[in-house]
Amino acid sequence: MDYGKLFRRGWEIVWQNKYLFILGFLAALGGGGGGNSGSNFNYNVPGGNDFPADAVEEMTQFWGQYGGLIIGLLCFFFILGIVFWLIRLAAVGGLIESVDRIEAGEKMSFGKAFSAGVARIWSLVGVSLLLNLPFILIGLLFAGAGASVFATAMDGGSFAGAERTFGIFFACLGLLVCLLIPLGIVIAIVQPFALRGLMLKQLGVVESIRHGWQVVRNNIGDILLLGIAFMVIGFLFGLVTLVFTIPFAFLAAGPFIMDAFRGNAINFGVTEVLSLAFGGICLGLVGAAVNSVLTAYRSATVTLAYHHFVQKDGLEKAV
């Protein structure tokens, strides 16, 4: 594979079709943050196995007064996160479709590209969920364990009887996560090619995953080199993103950082929560805007590489 030609052509496509940056922005949107609301909630976290009675009492009062509002906000942001996730998937599909048609000599626009992603949205969801099912289950287990710990705190704050149980549970869960790391690497490699099989060859969910695995298996050396190249490029983009997002990070966490420097108790007032929420939103938007360039460029280059692989392996027709 001529990597120089591949990377040059990928950049040419993106630069000459700048609407791809908009799709890249939508595809780069990070997970939404949550928000809490309430009056000041101050406590110091000392050592020991139990929460101090005052802290537990404050926490209980706070939850009793604002628990319903917090749950409502969490549900709202959860739904909002799903909406953004669907938008990201449609944008990813649109990026793939655009580069394919541009290479075929067709004219494309943002509307056509995004519509192509929307048309295959449920298949894109199916591939994403099926490939990431083990990690979704692990996340649910962690959420359940966290809810159990919180319920224990609300029930009196003593962890003496549950320490060992929670310790064993989290140790086993941590071991499982470590075992899933190699699987996560394989999924991260297979998923881009599975999505291209889905979008460009109109394969079903299972067929596209099988097709993606076949492409990776037949071209593992070239794909690993491509991945290493984008790791380097991603690192450089990460430095640029860091420069742009540091001010917003301080905007989000500024009050907490100032409290820490002054040696004050942790303060969760309305001002701090609003600052954290606003700063977090700005942080996500700025990060996505900067990463839109890398996202669009990487997608275009991988699509071009995918075409090379399937032509070389004789996989042009749907499998």
Side-chain angles (χ1 to χ4, degrees), residues 17 31 34 114-115 187 202 212 245 272 283 297 317:
N17 300 271
F114 194 75
S115 296
I187 290 173
Q202 299 296 304
T245 55
E272 288 78 12
L283 193 65
Y297 178 46
K317 294 182 179 180

Side-chain angles (χ1 to χ4, degrees), residues 19 23 26 86-87 89-95 97-98 101 108-122 124 199 202:
Y19 70 88
L23 289 171
L26 296 177
L86 294 175
I87 291 173
L89 287 177
V92 168
L95 281 168
E97 187 77 16
S98 288
R101 293 193 187 182
M108 285 294 289
S109 65
F110 173 81
K112 289 181 180 179
F114 194 75
S115 296
V118 171
R120 297 285 283 165
I121 187 64
W122 298 118
L124 291 166
M199 290 297 303
Q202 299 296 304

Side-chain angles (χ1 to χ4, degrees), residues 279-291:
I281 291 171
C282 292
L283 193 65
L285 292 176
V286 172
V290 176
N291 283 315

Side-chain angles (χ1 to χ4, degrees), residues 16-298:
Q16 293 170 5
N17 300 271
K18 293 183 176 60
Y19 70 88
L20 294 175
F21 290 134
I22 303 176
L23 289 171
F25 171 77
L26 296 177
L29 283 175
N36 294 328
S37 178
S39 58
N40 288 341
F41 173 41
N42 305 303
Y43 66 92
N44 290 310
V45 181
N49 295 326
D50 298 337
F51 278 0
D54 291 344
V56 174
E57 183 179 352
E58 282 191 38
M59 188 183 297
T60 304
Q61 291 176 353
F62 176 81
W63 184 256
Q65 186 174 2
Y66 298 102
L69 177 61
I70 291 173
I71 291 175
L73 287 173
L74 289 175
C75 291
F76 169 76
F77 282 114
F78 177 74
I79 295 171
L80 192 63
I82 292 177
V83 172
F84 278 122
W85 178 56
L86 294 175
I87 291 173
R88 289 197 297 272
L89 287 177
V92 168
L95 281 168
I96 295 170
E97 187 77 16
S98 288
V99 175
D100 177 67
R101 293 193 187 182
I102 290 169
E103 275 296 275
E106 297 183 33
K107 283 282 188 178
M108 285 294 289
S109 65
F110 173 81
K112 289 181 180 179
F114 194 75
S115 296
V118 171
R120 297 285 283 165
I121 187 64
W122 298 118
S123 295
L124 291 166
V125 168
V127 170
S128 182
L129 289 179
L130 190 57
L131 283 174
N132 293 283
L133 185 60
F135 304 99
I136 295 172
L137 294 177
I138 288 294
L140 291 175
L141 285 174
F142 269 118
S148 179
V149 171
F150 183 77
T152 301
M154 291 295 98
D155 196 34
S158 178
F159 294 91
E163 273 182 339
R164 180 166 298 181
T165 302
F166 284 127
I168 294 174
F169 173 77
F170 282 112
C172 294
L173 210 54
L175 178 61
L176 181 59
V177 170
C178 291
L179 292 175
L180 287 175
I181 289 176
L183 177 61
I185 294 173
V186 173
I187 290 173
I189 295 173
V190 171
Q191 185 164 337
F193 299 100
L195 293 179
R196 279 154 182 80
L198 180 80
M199 290 297 303
L200 305 182
K201 300 191 178 302
Q202 299 296 304
L203 301 176
V205 171
V206 177
E207 291 82 3
S208 64
I209 294 174
R210 188 181 299 118
H211 173 70
W213 169 249
Q214 186 176 5
V215 172
V216 171
R217 185 185 59 192
N218 294 345
N219 303 275
I220 186 62
D222 287 331
I223 289 172
L224 287 178
L225 289 175
L226 193 63
I228 292 171
F230 270 112
M231 284 179 63
V232 175
I233 296 173
F235 174 75
L236 297 177
F237 263 86
L239 295 178
V240 175
T241 303
L242 190 63
V243 170
F244 280 95
T245 55
I246 281 177
F248 294 97
F250 276 105
L251 177 64
F256 301 99
I257 295 174
M258 294 302 297
D259 281 343
F261 275 119
R262 293 169 182 166
N264 297 336
I266 300 174
N267 184 27
F268 294 98
V270 173
T271 302
E272 288 78 12
V273 170
L274 290 177
S275 173
L276 190 64
F278 178 74
I281 291 171
C282 292
L283 193 65
L285 292 176
V286 172
V290 176
N291 283 315
S292 64
V293 178
L294 176 61
T295 302
Y297 178 46
R298 181 174 53 212

